């Protein structure tokens, strides 16, 4: 299929496309989604979904964190469509993990090392940030990384870069829920989810979030 157009592909998509909301949001995207389904610190095009834990932050909050002496760093996460793929096998070793392109700069790595050295805590905002930092730390110490990662984090794995996680509530049978269970402990996470359901918390992309200390 070939066609001619006076616009670039990106310009055409911007003019005629819609916001790629997750498949579990079944309504048609509207104008509000164009701004709401985007983090305030997004810079580069390439992701097919927003890292939704970041949606809880606005610029005012970031300024308040900075005023309190809390340092922040950003990584590039080109979230792929496979992030919504459920696990359909009983043996996790047989699950084919999707790859996502990430960039963890040398300055981010140094900030993590400096934070650890002064006794601070490294807090990942979202499972994709945690996955990116841990992918960059697979050698045992975090180092700059740019490229695809298919790191599949499951209970029993060791965490080398992140101490705490801010994350939304995830779908059953998802790799993201398994990551949260690996990080905070299966029983604690199941208790948290049961409480969230009973208390009527909002789930998924536009939902509530929780703060998790690493089990290790």
């Amino acid at each position: 299929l070939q066609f001619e157009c006076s616009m670039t592909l990106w310009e055409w998509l911007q003019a005629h496309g819609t916001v790629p909301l997750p498949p579990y949001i079944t309504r048609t995207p509207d104008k509000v989604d164009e701004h709401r389904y985007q983090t305030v610190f997004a810079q580069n095009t390439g992701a097919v979904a927003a890292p939704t834990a970041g949606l809880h932050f606005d610029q005012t909050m970031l300024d308040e964190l900075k005023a309190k002496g809390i340092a922040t760093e950003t990584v590039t996460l080109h979230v792929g469509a496979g992030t919504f793929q459920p696990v359909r096998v009983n043996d996790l070793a047989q699950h084919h993990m999707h790859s996502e392109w990430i960039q963890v700069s040398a300055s981010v790595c140094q900030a993590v090392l400096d934070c650890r050295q002064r006794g601070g805590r490294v807090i990942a905002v979202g499972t994709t940030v945690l996955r990116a930092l841990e992918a960059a730390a697979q050698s045992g110490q975090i180092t700059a990384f740019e490229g695809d990662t298919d790191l599949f984090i499951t209970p029993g794995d060791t965490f080398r870069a992140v101490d705490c996680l801010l994350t939304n509530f995830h779908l059953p049978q998802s790799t993201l829920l398994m990551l949260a269970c690996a990080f905070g402990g299966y029983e604690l996470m199941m208790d948290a989810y049961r409480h969230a359901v009973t208390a009527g918390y909002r789930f998924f992309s536009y939902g509530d979030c929780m703060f998790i200390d690493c089990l290790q």
Side-chain angles (χ1 to χ4, degrees):
L1 176 65
Q2 294 181 338
F3 63 92
E4 293 184 0
C5 182
S6 60
M7 304 178 180
T8 66
L9 176 60
W10 178 246
E11 290 171 340
W12 191 90
L13 291 173
Q14 288 289 87
H16 302 286
T18 58
V19 177
L21 294 178
Y24 48 75
I25 298 179
T26 56
R27 63 173 174 78
T28 301
D30 56 32
K31 286 292 184 181
V32 175
D33 293 309
E34 294 181 11
H35 303 285
R36 183 66 184 89
Y37 193 64
Q38 181 65 278
T39 63
V40 296
F41 37 77
Q43 296 181 13
N44 304 314
T45 57
V48 302
T52 53
L55 299 180
H56 297 281
F57 292 79
D58 58 18
Q59 191 57 53
T60 299
M61 182 180 291
L62 293 175
D63 292 340
E64 290 175 354
L65 292 174
K66 183 177 180 179
K68 292 179 180 295
I70 299 174
T72 60
E73 296 285 341
T74 58
V75 299
T76 298
L77 309 164
H78 284 177
V79 181
T83 192
F84 303 113
Q85 179 183 344
V87 177
R88 297 187 175 92
V89 294
N90 292 324
D91 181 3
L92 296 183
Q94 300 303 313
H95 175 72
H96 178 68
M97 188 67 179
H98 64 280
S99 294
E100 294 177 322
W101 191 91
I102 63 173
Q103 183 183 53
V104 180
S105 66
S107 62
V108 169
C109 296
Q110 191 59 53
V112 169
L113 295 174
D114 290 346
C115 180
R116 287 284 182 82
Q117 188 172 21
R118 64 176 179 265
R121 295 188 298 175
V122 176
I123 302 170
V125 178
T127 53
T128 43
V129 172
L130 185 148
R131 188 165 172 240
L133 294 177
E134 292 299 328
Q138 287 300 288
S139 65
Q141 180 166 300
I142 190 167
T143 55
F145 182 93
E146 180 176 334
D148 292 321
T149 179
D150 60 358
L151 179 64
F152 184 17
I153 298 175
T154 57
D157 287 350
T158 299
F159 294 89
R160 300 176 174 89
V162 178
D163 302 301
C164 306
L165 171 65
L166 188 75
T167 185
N168 286 29
F169 292 88
H170 302 290
L171 286 166
Q173 297 181 314
S174 68
T175 60
L176 304 181
L177 177 56
M178 293 177 187
L179 182 154
C181 288
F183 191 78
Y186 177 80
E187 293 300 334
L188 182 61
M189 288 299 98
M190 292 300 99
D191 286 344
Y193 272 71
R194 281 188 287 268
H195 169 76
V197 171
T198 301
Y201 287 20
R202 297 169 301 171
F203 274 47
F204 315 139
S205 294
Y206 284 160
D208 296 308
C209 67
M210 56 181 165
F211 186 92
I212 310 171
D213 282 314
C214 186
L215 177 68
Q216 298 170 9

